[in-house]
């Protein structure tokens, strides 16, 4: 581990954390939470706060803490929040609103926090609804999944990114084609299956590179190892003249994503 990492974590970290907490102590605040599963198969529960900063004379968003949990039910998350705020001497009753993503577990979390706040003599949290990104994300996923098994755009996105990402020589050859076609050098973007609204930018980049991709896969001679790879064959099949509809379906994915994105901005 580089020496600077422990210095930042254990030397500078506590100092800046104390500065943030001291700035928050007399302010009303909104707590922003997010829970995700790490590569180590542990639930990471991050807490940020949005409040008025006396030091900066404006509304700020600051990182507060992270907890690492085995279970992440509403009760576990509530306990983590209460313990973190108590440790930093941040009054639970000064919480105005809980900002979170998942609409299901977090309904119970809000209810449990409300009970604790009211018991301490505070007022219930301001309820402006849950994050609409999950609803839009799931709706988009359901709509695309109903047709994508026959269209194959998801496979095309994943295959194209992986094909070039893992082999620098292929990426270099593709760059040569971009230069020959007077195209702007833009690498393909990664499609993340649990972030369906990433489809739009990924499809946008594929469309921008469409001329270069068809030239690379359909009009350029390659070595036997490349031509014999299953991924190359799948991509070639998707881009062949008989499958021109892939350009249309890719553009449809891009446009559909732009449409639903307006509901999550």
């Amino acid at each position: 581990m580089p020496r600077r990492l422990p210095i930042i974590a254990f030397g500078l970290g506590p100092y800046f954390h104390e500065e943030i907490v001291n700035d928050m102590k007399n302010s009303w605040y909104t707590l922003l939470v997010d829970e995700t599963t790490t590569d180590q198969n542990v639930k990471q529960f991050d807490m940020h706060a949005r409040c008025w900063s006396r030091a900066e004379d404006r509304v700020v968003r600051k990182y507060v803490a992270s907890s690492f949990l085995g279970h992440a039910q509403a009760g576990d998350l509530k306990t983590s929040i209460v313990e973190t705020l108590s440790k930093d001497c941040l009054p639970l009753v000064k919480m105005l609103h809980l900002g979170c993503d998942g609409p299901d577990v977090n309904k119970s979390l809000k209810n449990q926090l409300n009970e604790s706040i009211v018991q301490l003599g505070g007022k219930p949290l301001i309820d402006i609804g849950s994050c609409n990104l999950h609803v839009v994300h799931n709706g988009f996923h359901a709509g695309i999944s109903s047709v994508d098994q026959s269209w194959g755009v998801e496979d095309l996105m994943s295959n194209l990114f992986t094909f070039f990402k893992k082999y620098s020589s292929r990426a270099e050859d593709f760059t040569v084609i971009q230069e020959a076609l007077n195209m702007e050098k833009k690498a393909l973007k990664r499609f993340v299956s649990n972030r369906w609204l990433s489809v739009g930018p990924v499809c946008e980049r594929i469309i921008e590179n469409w001329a270069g991709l068809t030239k690379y896969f359909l009009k350029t001679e390659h070595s036997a190892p490349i031509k014999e790879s299953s991924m190359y064959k799948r991509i070639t099949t998707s881009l062949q003249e008989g499958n021109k509809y892939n350009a249309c379906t890719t553009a449809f994915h891009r446009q559909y994503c732009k449409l639903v994105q307006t509901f999550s901005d």
Side-chain angles (χ1 to χ4, degrees):
M1 178 184 293
R3 291 184 60 188
R4 64 179 179 274
L5 297 183
I7 293 174
I8 293 172
F10 303 110
L12 297 177
Y15 168 78
F16 286 111
H17 180 76
E18 184 177 359
E19 289 286 300
I20 292 169
V21 169
N22 288 337
D23 196 28
M24 285 181 58
K25 280 184 178 177
N26 295 317
S27 299
W28 296 87
Y29 60 90
T30 291
L31 192 68
L32 311 171
V33 298
D34 185 44
E35 174 264 315
T36 188
T37 302
T38 68
D39 292 337
Q40 291 75 36
N41 200 29
V42 175
K43 299 287 186 181
Q44 179 174 331
F45 185 52
D46 297 326
M47 287 169 266
H48 294 72
R50 184 180 289 122
C51 65
W52 179 263
S53 168
R54 291 171 298 164
E56 301 183 40
D57 197 29
R58 63 188 180 95
V59 175
V60 296
R61 172 175 172 165
K62 299 291 187 179
Y63 170 78
V64 177
S66 292
S67 297
F68 298 91
L69 312 169
H71 295 279
Q73 300 300 317
D76 304 310
L77 302 183
K78 182 246 184 179
T79 299
S80 178
I81 289 173
V82 172
E83 289 179 350
T84 297
L85 296 179
S86 176
K87 177 183 176 182
D88 290 328
C89 298
L90 297 173
L92 184 63
V93 294
K94 282 190 174 267
M95 188 189 303
L96 292 172
H97 171 69
L98 180 69
C100 45
D101 49 8
D104 296 324
V105 171
N106 293 316
K107 286 181 181 178
S108 178
L109 173 59
K110 288 180 181 179
N111 291 336
Q112 293 186 32
L113 280 174
N114 270 329
E115 291 178 4
S116 296
I117 291 172
V118 171
Q119 288 174 1
L120 293 171
K123 294 183 179 181
L125 297 171
I126 299 172
D127 187 3
I128 59 174
S130 62
C131 175
N132 63 348
L133 183 58
H134 272 249
V135 178
V136 174
H137 169 91
N138 292 337
F140 182 84
H141 185 193
I144 291 298
S145 296
S146 66
V147 296
D148 198 60
Q149 288 185 352
S150 59
W151 288 1
V153 175
E154 179 181 350
D155 289 338
L156 179 62
M157 291 187 293
S158 299
N159 289 333
L160 281 171
F161 177 82
T162 303
F163 182 87
F164 290 109
K165 181 66 176 179
K166 292 187 175 182
Y167 299 90
S168 58
S169 58
R170 297 175 183 178
E172 182 179 346
D173 291 342
F174 184 63
T175 298
V176 172
I177 289 177
Q178 288 176 313
E179 292 175 346
L181 296 176
N182 294 319
M183 297 172 58
E184 188 174 351
K185 297 178 184 178
K186 292 184 177 180
L188 297 173
K189 293 186 175 182
R190 181 188 177 194
F191 166 62
V192 182
S193 60
N194 63 345
R195 292 289 183 270
W196 267 88
L197 292 181
S198 67
V199 165
V202 175
C203 288
E204 181 77 37
R205 186 56 54 85
I206 291 175
I207 292 170
E208 291 172 348
N209 282 298
W210 193 265
L213 291 171
T214 54
K215 182 174 178 60
Y216 180 93
F217 287 99
L218 303 179
K219 302 175 184 179
T220 302
E221 187 63 29
H222 296 288
S223 63
I226 292 180
K227 291 192 294 184
E228 292 172 1
S229 71
S230 59
M231 188 172 294
Y232 175 85
K233 292 177 181 178
R234 290 196 298 270
I235 295 172
T236 302
T237 300
S238 297
L239 298 176
Q240 283 173 346
E241 288 296 314
N243 285 327
K244 278 186 177 180
Y245 75 91
N246 269 294
C248 297
T249 54
T250 302
F252 173 84
H253 279 58
R254 175 195 61 180
Q255 201 61 32
Y256 181 31
C257 187
K258 285 183 178 180
L259 175 64
V260 300
Q261 189 74 50
T262 59
F263 296 99
S264 61
D265 290 341

